[in-house]
Amino acid sequence: MDSAGNVYFSDTRNHRLRKITRDGQIETVAGTGAAGQAPDTVRAAGAALAFPGPVATFDNGVVFVAEMLSGVVRRIDPSGTMTRVAGGGTLMTDTGSALAVRFYSADALAPLAGGRLAMVDRAGKRVRSLDLAQATVGVVAGGGVLPGREGSILGVSGLAVDPEGAVFVADRLDHRIKRVSGSSTVTVFAGTGAPGTAGDGAAAANSQIQEPTGLTTDREGDLFLTSLGGSRIRRIARGGGAITGIGGSTDGFSGDGGPATAARFGMPGGVAMGPGGVVLVADTANNRIRRIRADGVVTTLAGTGEPGFDGDGGPASRARFNAPVGVAVDGVGAIYVADTLNHRVRRIDPDGTVSTVAGSGTAGASGNGVPAEQAQLGAPKWIAIDAGGNLFVGNSWAGGAAVVTPDGILHRLGGEQEGIGSIEGIAVSDAGEVSFWDRTNRRLWQLDPVPLNDDAVVNLASQRTGPIAPGLMLMIRGIGLGPAEGVVTSAGDDGRVPIRAGGTAVLLDGVPIPILAAQYARVLAIAPYGIANRGSVEISVDYNGRRTNPVRVEVRPASPALFTRDGRGAGLAVARNSDGSDNFAGNPTFRGDIVTLVATGLGKTDPVTEAGRVYADEGIAPAGRIRVSFGEVEGELLDVSVPFNQLSSVFEVVVRVPGGAPAGSAVPVSVRVGDFSSPPGPVIAIE
């Protein structure tokens, strides 16, 4: 509250500083509603703020506000002019020019006597003092060189995984790179603990590193890192060998088209390996993604340098980004960027086109199981991609960790409700194991399978939840259920498919069942025929000894469904015309002609068969009565049986199209077993 009785408060999520006047009116003092970087001196009204937090007022009407993520402190005088007075520099020192110093965070402000301001720098473990008249910074409490020791991690900014599965940690507060082995032993890999940039050419353990930030490894096991201090990009030979500078000279922007070692970068963030030995760097403060070629030349790949958001659908070089941090590359060479203050993840295709793949642009944590572009992200900083194309996102502000599966759906992996806070590093190993650093709780997490939802088990053909049946081909949807690249099984010499694939097993009432395929986000399996007399069963997934919660599903004698061409349970059915050609709008069947459909979930067979076994016998058919309808008109069933040398869970249904069937390019078709009918969705073309 100021001397006039106005109450000031930070509307953090809306990126505004607001005040409540004495008569109860609410006014915006600064901030546009979108996170952004304001010039050092600007009119407060209409100027951008990014996550404003602590506020302090003086009797002379001056208001101070601190931006929590950047640690910048701004002064707003009674005339409405806003000025940066501290933070936002490049020096990580306890004393010196307030404008040249950069703080770890800004978590509280309070006025002190003599025109000074106290600030809590929680991440830096200090209470700092700002002399406003002299524009200098000091320390009230805490400080000194933060202790670095084996077995401790002080403050992480980035992660990487080596070929052996050990996790490298960029311990920014300790100015070291640390290695966490499979037994959770923490050792110092690089850095003496003294901040600096000296030591190129020496062993990594004897070199100086100042605030390491981004990490990645190449196929040879060399480690690449960015550091905020000096804005450098460096390489460490495998096993902790010599450290070498490959980019950066001082803070700023320059050097495109020339040697990267002479170029200037601005607070570089993430680093990733691109095709052809290219090193990709998120040049965060310059709002660019830059690349260092194998010959050492640096160029700008994406970003104009101006903070903002635009350019989707066009060349990445003409698009605007806002403080991008994380960068990753998938198996086809597409580049993904954590566009942090735009609350999005964007993709740069190999042809240079940029698009948004996750994030609505509104900061938050809403949206789970929805298209990723509709979900909210909270200042995502770090991203990683596994071999299966799953995109992992670490939100630094809200939303915890999330994954975008190849179908474009975003799934939350954990947030505040699960005790997971701000994510400051995320990495995935070649084996698909995901690690991330939780800054809030100071913990290195490794991802276990996420609990299965009640709707995790679906009919493979219809893609719908509901009762299962003996012999049904089913799919279990979740997170962390199998290997990243995916494994597809086949029948062995005994004609049976296995009960484990790539370390994954599906358990039905605790017993493994035949499995067809396993991948990170889905598993395909077959319900055994022996469940016919059970009212319900429990299904869970075990991946390398880590088991999900069981999901209870109802069992019915039949749960029929027709396969569709798109695999989603709707649209054109998998159907052949009488001449063996595929049925579609341009190649319809005719009334009175024969069409063959493909179904699962038709229940027990006659003769009795074993689920998950391939049969060469002819005449294996469902035990129940089968009917097929086109619209509301029933057709003449000619045959329904297991095809030669196929699993007994798949049936070909041969039926004559009735003369009274409706005509059209999308005539609904359904199959019925006794009282149980397939769900709507599949269609065929009839002329």
Side-chain angles (χ1 to χ4, degrees):
M1 180 183 295
D2 64 14
S3 58
N6 298 304
V7 176
Y8 292 81
F9 67 96
S10 285
D11 190 354
T12 305
R13 298 186 179 184
N14 289 316
H15 310 290
R16 287 182 166 97
L17 174 67
R18 308 176 78 180
K19 73 176 180 180
I20 304 174
T21 63
R22 292 185 61 180
D23 58 4
Q25 299 298 311
I26 298 179
E27 300 175 1
T28 294
V29 178
T32 63
Q37 298 170 325
D40 283 356
T41 301
V42 67
R43 292 289 300 172
L49 293 175
F51 301 99
V55 179
T57 60
F58 281 70
D59 290 340
N60 60 2
V62 173
V63 179
F64 291 87
V65 60
E67 296 176 279
M68 293 192 297
L69 295 184
S70 65
V72 169
V73 180
R74 301 186 186 275
R75 176 185 188 270
I76 302 173
D77 64 28
S79 69
T81 299
M82 184 168 73
T83 307
R84 179 174 69 94
V85 295
T90 59
L91 300 178
M92 299 302 299
T93 62
D94 287 337
T95 60
S97 167
L99 292 175
V101 169
R102 193 171 65 81
F103 305 130
Y104 289 103
S105 64
D107 300 283
L109 292 176
L112 297 175
R116 294 182 303 143
L117 188 68
M119 186 190 79
V120 174
D121 184 355
R122 182 177 61 183
K125 302 179 184 298
R126 292 157 167 82
V127 178
R128 301 181 181 269
S129 64
L130 308 178
D131 188 320
L132 303 174
Q134 301 297 321
T136 57
V137 63
V139 173
V140 177
V145 177
L146 294 172
R149 59 187 184 281
E150 303 233 347
S152 68
I153 298 176
L154 301 182
V156 173
S157 287
L159 301 177
V161 181
D162 71 8
E164 285 76 42
V167 179
F168 288 109
V169 175
D171 195 341
R172 188 177 71 184
L173 302 188
D174 200 18
H175 309 292
R176 287 181 165 108
I177 307 297
K178 297 177 180 178
R179 186 177 186 271
V180 184
S181 69
S183 61
S184 298
T185 301
V186 180
T187 56
V188 173
F189 181 78
T192 63
T197 58
D200 276 4
N206 299 325
S207 66
Q208 290 183 336
I209 301 172
Q210 186 168 347
E211 296 183 89
T213 304
L215 298 176
T216 194
T217 56
D218 64 12
R219 293 186 179 276
E220 287 69 43
D222 291 349
L223 181 70
F224 293 77
L225 67 115
T226 62
S227 57
L228 296 182
S231 292
R232 302 288 181 90
I233 300 94
R234 303 165 88 180
R235 177 177 56 221
I236 300 175
R238 181 171 183 165
I243 187 169
T244 307
I246 64 169
S249 55
T250 58
D251 188 70
F253 176 78
S254 68
D256 269 4
T261 51
R264 293 191 297 163
F265 291 76
M267 299 175 64
V271 59
M273 298 305 300
V278 168
V279 179
L280 299 163
V281 180
D283 196 354
T284 304
N286 289 317
N287 304 295
R288 288 177 164 94
I289 305 300
R290 300 172 80 182
R291 56 187 167 195
I292 302 173
R293 300 193 318 230
D295 61 4
V297 174
V298 64
T299 58
T300 291
L301 171 70
T304 65
E306 291 295 324
F309 174 78
D310 60 25
D312 272 4
S317 59
R318 299 179 185 176
R320 289 194 298 164
F321 293 76
N322 199 346
V325 176
V327 61
V329 182
D330 69 11
V332 299
I335 299 165
Y336 293 75
V337 178
D339 196 356
T340 303
L341 293 185
N342 280 325
H343 312 292
R344 289 177 165 95
V345 177
R346 301 169 81 181
R347 180 179 62 218
I348 304 170
D349 290 328
D351 66 0
T353 302
V354 65
S355 60
T356 294
V357 296
S360 64
T362 300
S366 69
N368 188 23
V370 302
E373 306 96 303
Q374 299 175 14
Q376 291 181 343
L377 300 177
K381 278 189 175 181
W382 301 105
I383 54 177
I385 299 176
D386 68 16
N390 297 290
L391 170 66
F392 297 90
V393 182
N395 292 288
S396 65
W397 175 61
V403 61
V404 180
T405 46
D407 57 5
I409 302 300
L410 182 139
H411 308 267
R412 303 286 176 184
L413 301 177
E416 292 182 1
Q417 291 184 348
E418 293 77 23
I420 298 174
S422 174
I423 307 301
E424 285 293 340
I426 194 163
V428 60
S429 71
D430 290 342
E433 296 175 331
V434 181
S435 304
F436 55 91
W437 176 262
D438 179 352
R439 183 183 68 179
T440 306
N441 297 298
R442 301 177 63 79
R443 293 184 64 182
L444 180 64
W445 298 82
Q446 285 198 317
L447 185 65
D448 285 331
V450 175
L452 296 178
N453 296 325
D454 291 340
D455 61 355
V457 181
V458 300
N459 185 309
L460 179 60
S462 70
Q463 296 289 295
R464 299 199 181 199
T465 59
I468 66 171
L472 175 70
M473 300 178 77
L474 53 86
M475 179 168 71
I476 302 101
R477 303 176 298 193
I479 298 297
L481 304 182
E485 290 186 331
V487 175
V488 178
T489 66
S490 59
D493 293 339
D494 61 355
R496 295 177 173 87
V497 297
I499 58 174
R500 185 170 286 275
T504 298
V506 177
L507 307 177
L508 188 147
D509 286 343
V511 178
I513 63 176
I515 187 168
L516 301 173
Q519 192 259 349
Y520 184 80
R522 56 183 60 86
V523 180
L524 310 184
I526 302 175
Y529 283 106
I531 67 173
N533 296 321
R534 305 183 198 179
S536 64
V537 295
E538 286 189 340
I539 295 177
S540 60
V541 178
D542 182 285
Y543 178 48
N544 288 336
R546 296 177 291 181
R547 187 174 300 185
T548 69
N549 58 300
V551 174
R552 182 163 292 278
V553 294
E554 181 185 352
V555 176
R556 288 182 179 173
S559 183
L562 294 170
F563 286 95
T564 57
R565 293 175 64 175
D566 68 358
R568 298 182 181 181
L572 283 172
V574 175
R576 296 195 310 274
N577 295 330
S578 58
D579 63 358
S581 62
D582 290 338
N583 178 278
F584 56 92
N587 188 38
T589 187
F590 299 89
R591 296 184 180 97
D593 207 349
I594 295 170
V595 68
T596 301
L597 307 168
V598 182
T600 188
L602 303 188
K604 297 176 68 174
T605 62
D606 182 18
V608 175
T609 58
E610 176 186 343
R613 184 175 177 181
V614 171
Y615 287 86
D617 304 349
E618 295 183 356
I620 299 174
R625 181 190 175 196
I626 308 298
R627 290 174 288 174
V628 177
S629 295
F630 302 88
E632 301 296 327
V633 184
E634 187 173 328
E636 178 188 355
L637 184 68
L638 301 178
D639 182 60
V640 54
S641 60
V642 174
F644 176 77
N645 219 25
Q646 288 287 341
L647 295 167
S648 63
S649 296
V650 180
F651 298 88
E652 285 191 340
V653 182
V654 184
V655 61
R656 188 181 303 278
V657 179
S665 61
V667 177
V669 59
S670 62
V671 60
R672 190 174 185 87
V673 184
D675 295 330
F676 306 105
S677 182
S678 61
V683 298
I684 67 168
I686 301 175
E687 187 172 300

